[in-house]
Amino acid sequence: MAKTLPKQSGSNGAGGTLVPWLGIAVIVILADQLTKIAIAKIFSYGEGRAITSFFNLVLVYNKGAAFSFLSAAGGWQRWAFTALGVVAALVICYLLKRHAAQKLFCTALALIMGGALGNVIDRLMYGHVIDFLDFHVGGWHWPAFNLADSAITVGAVLLVFDELRRVRGAR
């Protein structure tokens, strides 16, 4: 008699394939890097251009983390944030493999991983992150950011939404 082998497809949410999720991360990385290259070729450091009444493109560098946190820390932050991004990507790969059937959860993680690695690439290549999206409304002005930061933010929002949905479904 033939033996039946256990399923390896990840249909139960564990042990699934990483390919679609890594594909999303790679798309984020490519879009992020291509836009940064384009902005760096078009603009000089600090140069900007108004696009609308609330949005500018401007080339700025960020040696720190979000909102330039620790940007003047003396250089160690480059390696700390690089290591943090790499460790986060490894943990995310583990979670993606384990929960591959949870599409929204994995999409969120893939966006976060792509954004984190996009900024890691900048830190390794340039020693800083290239930011260029500059929004302002009235007297409010947000720090400039990039597509990697946007992917991380969208991924975080999707994680919260997914968890709220999961909690509500458990009731």
Side-chain angles (χ1 to χ4, degrees):
M1 291 186 72
K3 272 189 159 179
T4 317
L5 295 174
K7 279 190 174 183
Q8 299 290 326
S9 69
S11 60
N12 64 356
T17 180
L18 289 173
V19 172
W21 314 121
L22 294 179
I24 291 171
V26 167
I27 290 168
V28 169
I29 293 166
L30 288 173
D32 176 62
Q33 290 299 305
L34 289 173
T35 55
K36 289 172 179 174
I37 290 167
I39 291 296
K41 287 199 176 292
I42 295 170
F43 295 99
S44 300
Y45 177 78
E47 181 184 1
R49 182 173 300 142
I51 304 299
T52 69
S53 62
F54 61 88
F55 172 63
N56 304 324
L57 291 175
V58 61
L59 176 59
V60 294
Y61 303 144
N62 181 358
K63 292 185 179 195
F67 307 113
S68 295
F69 175 68
L70 294 176
S71 62
W76 63 266
Q77 72 278 19
R78 172 186 183 187
W79 304 111
F81 292 135
T82 297
L84 181 63
V86 170
V87 169
L90 293 172
V91 170
I92 288 171
C93 282
Y94 169 78
L95 292 170
L96 290 172
K97 184 78 172 155
R98 226 171 137 187
H99 302 281
Q102 297 177 23
K103 294 190 181 343
L104 185 58
F105 178 72
C106 289
T107 300
L109 290 178
L111 289 170
I112 292 168
M113 181 169 64
L117 291 176
N119 285 339
V120 162
I121 291 167
D122 281 15
R123 290 182 200 290
L124 291 173
M125 289 180 55
Y126 313 117
H128 56 260
V129 174
I130 296 172
D131 289 329
F132 59 92
L133 301 170
D134 180 38
F135 284 89
H136 55 91
V137 176
W140 294 63
H141 199 148
W142 286 265
F145 57 96
N146 57 47
L147 290 186
D149 300 332
S150 300
I152 292 168
T153 302
V154 170
V157 168
L158 289 176
L159 275 180
V160 170
F161 177 73
D162 184 56
E163 186 59 24
L164 291 173
R165 195 179 67 159
R166 194 180 347 266
V167 168
R168 285 200 175 144
R171 288 184 191 176

